Amino acid sequence: MQYAVRLEALLGDPRDRANPYGRAALWAAGHDALPAPPAELTVAGKTPPAPWELARALRPLLRRDLALAHAWSTGPLLHAVVPHPAAALLGPAALLASAAGVLRGATRIVDGLSRYEPGAGQWQPVLAAVFADLLACESLTALALRSCPAAGPDVAAPDAAGQHEAGQPGAGQHEARPDAPGCGAHSDSLGAAPLAAVVGYLVPLLLEELLGDLELVLNECGFDADTLERRTLAKILDDRKFAGADWAAARAAQACLVRGLNSADRPPPGWQGEPAALFRIGEAAPAAAPGTHSPQALAATLPAAARRLAATGTAGTVALARLGRRLSAEQRALRAACAAAPVHEPADPAARALADRQALLVLAAAVLGVREAAAATPESFFGDTDWTLLALARITGRLALPLPDHTPQTWPGVWDELARRATNGVDYDLYATRLPW
């Protein structure tokens, strides 16, 4: 996207110590003296980006620094008089973009060490699993953005990613942490996008685990707390609260999911479980009938996806079909458990466990849907079964379900893609965006 390319150029090389938007300057500024955005970015009066385009357009900023992303985009867009419909999703999107940078650094380290230290190869499957989880969360976040309602004419555009409306916070001013996606004071702006609550819950939760894995790899490879890589990781962990993507935000989003377990937000009458257009993330988001983008509706795509996979007959898709059927059975059991109680309360541990399982099943549906949509594109990594099998195997394990017999190990293919992108300067996003730095 042209806006993203322009933003990347204006932010400059993050390694340049003289760059006011470089790592050294941002770390020295702390949270209370962040630089103002470049004046050249002003686009006041222009049409706001569509929700599904917003995170991709701002990814250079989201990737650069979580606190800066909050000050320039997330806070102002969320707390505007008319909040942008996708604003609450920018925090999780920023956390994913920042984590991708740490993963890229760890991949380069392990790839280099593996060439002369055989023991370093033990971290390749760990990083491949982190990559698969990251892509699963990216897929879910993209679907949530696509399910957001279109921004109305009164919604503030991200002009200069920080030229704020009167009374809104500017760079270096930090109001309270944004509400959890889909909840709180701005829930009305995301009322048509309940998938935002799933993102707001799962992304902070899973990224906590993935960042811990990355810290372990860096530590075991000899990178202590004073190295650039570990300092970057520590800053991400510290800045999550500014982006609204920390554990407190996840708990608030989980409460929203619990309250929706028995709501009317179920698959609409006649639902066939095949919102194919929603999964084509590189295209404009489709219009949808109310309820068709709900967590329940998305999870309901699992059985149909498993049937279509079984019909193709290749070894990889047969394994995917077996996993899909196992997850479909879990979805049926979850529906029965949810229906057993008339009301679910966030204070009830059993209800929270149900919400957790539902969120993981929605994540699985997102993975299968994005893979199936991408399979039509020749030589698309996302159309392959390797990353999908690894991501679904990780989800299955988190659900405490056994993997089907003869499920293949696919991490070598995922590692190859991970290492190739690190070598060639390609982002770990869904669009394989080339990085200039």
Side-chain angles (χ1 to χ4, degrees):
M1 296 179 69
Q2 289 301 314
Y3 186 90
V5 172
R6 185 179 175 216
L7 177 58
E8 186 81 76
L10 288 170
L11 287 174
D13 188 345
R15 301 163 298 184
D16 183 358
R17 298 189 68 85
N19 179 5
Y21 310 117
R23 291 193 194 99
L26 292 174
W27 288 357
H31 299 141
D32 299 319
L34 293 170
E40 297 92 333
L41 273 182
T42 302
V43 291
K46 293 191 177 181
T47 303
W52 71 279
E53 296 177 307
L54 186 62
R56 189 179 181 189
L58 294 177
R59 188 168 175 99
L61 171 62
L62 306 183
R63 184 172 56 235
R64 181 62 56 100
D65 185 84
L66 280 179
L68 194 67
H70 169 67
W72 286 13
S73 61
T74 307
L77 290 178
L78 183 62
H79 295 283
V81 176
V82 181
H84 193 287
L89 287 163
L90 290 183
L95 184 57
L96 290 169
S98 298
V102 179
L103 175 59
R104 187 165 53 255
T107 300
R108 288 172 176 163
I109 291 166
V110 170
D111 192 31
L113 289 175
S114 298
R115 297 171 188 175
Y116 58 87
E117 291 185 16
Q122 66 181 308
W123 302 115
Q124 292 179 358
V126 175
L127 296 182
V130 170
F131 187 34
D133 282 342
L134 199 68
L135 293 178
C137 290
E138 289 270 11
S139 299
L140 177 64
T141 304
L143 297 185
L145 286 162
R146 289 170 63 77
S147 71
C148 286
D154 295 328
V155 174
D159 48 347
Q163 299 295 316
H164 315 298
E165 298 291 338
Q168 298 306 316
Q173 295 176 298
H174 296 288
E175 76 287 4
R177 177 181 54 79
D179 296 308
C183 301
H186 298 290
S187 60
D188 289 345
S189 69
L190 289 170
L195 285 178
V198 182
V199 173
Y201 172 59
L202 275 184
V203 169
L205 188 73
L206 296 184
L207 265 291
E208 177 97 28
E209 177 185 338
L210 301 187
L211 291 171
D213 290 342
L214 291 173
E215 184 176 25
L216 173 65
V217 172
L218 291 172
N219 185 64
E220 291 299 309
C221 290
F223 288 74
D224 60 30
D226 290 331
T227 58
L228 172 66
E229 292 77 10
R230 290 287 299 279
R231 288 181 65 196
T232 301
L233 179 57
K235 190 172 190 303
I236 291 172
L237 291 170
D238 188 50
D239 287 351
R240 289 175 300 169
K241 57 182 176 294
F242 293 113
D246 59 354
W247 179 239
R251 288 298 298 268
Q254 184 190 47
C256 292
L257 294 176
V258 169
R259 295 188 182 100
L261 287 174
N262 274 43
S263 70
D265 188 21
R266 294 191 176 111
W271 175 244
Q272 299 299 312
E274 301 180 29
L278 180 66
F279 295 117
R280 292 196 282 268
I281 56 173
E283 303 175 4
T292 56
H293 292 167
S294 70
Q296 291 86 345
L298 188 59
T301 65
L302 285 169
R307 288 193 297 271
R308 289 191 294 272
L309 284 164
T312 60
T314 66
T317 54
V318 167
L320 274 180
R322 288 198 298 265
L323 265 176
R325 286 194 295 268
R326 184 148 296 183
L327 293 167
S328 298
E330 175 66 12
Q331 171 67 8
R332 291 192 295 271
L334 177 67
R335 282 188 180 178
C338 290
V343 177
H344 296 281
E345 295 293 340
D348 181 7
R352 293 199 299 271
L354 291 176
D356 182 75
R357 298 181 84 78
Q358 183 195 63
L360 288 170
L361 288 167
V362 172
L363 183 66
V367 168
L368 276 181
V370 168
R371 180 263 162 196
E372 187 174 22
T377 304
E379 300 182 0
S380 168
F381 170 73
F382 292 102
D384 291 340
T385 57
D386 283 358
W387 81 275
T388 320
L389 273 169
L390 184 52
L392 290 185
R394 300 270 288 177
I395 294 169
T396 303
R398 291 183 175 107
L399 287 166
L401 299 174
L403 289 175
D405 293 337
H406 310 299
T407 299
Q409 289 280 354
T410 60
W411 71 261
V414 180
W415 165 258
D416 288 344
E417 175 71 9
L418 183 66
R420 183 190 66 80
R421 290 198 186 193
T423 299
N424 296 332
V426 176
D427 199 358
Y428 292 152
D429 60 353
L430 297 175
Y431 310 97
T433 305
R434 184 163 294 278
L435 298 168
W437 320 113

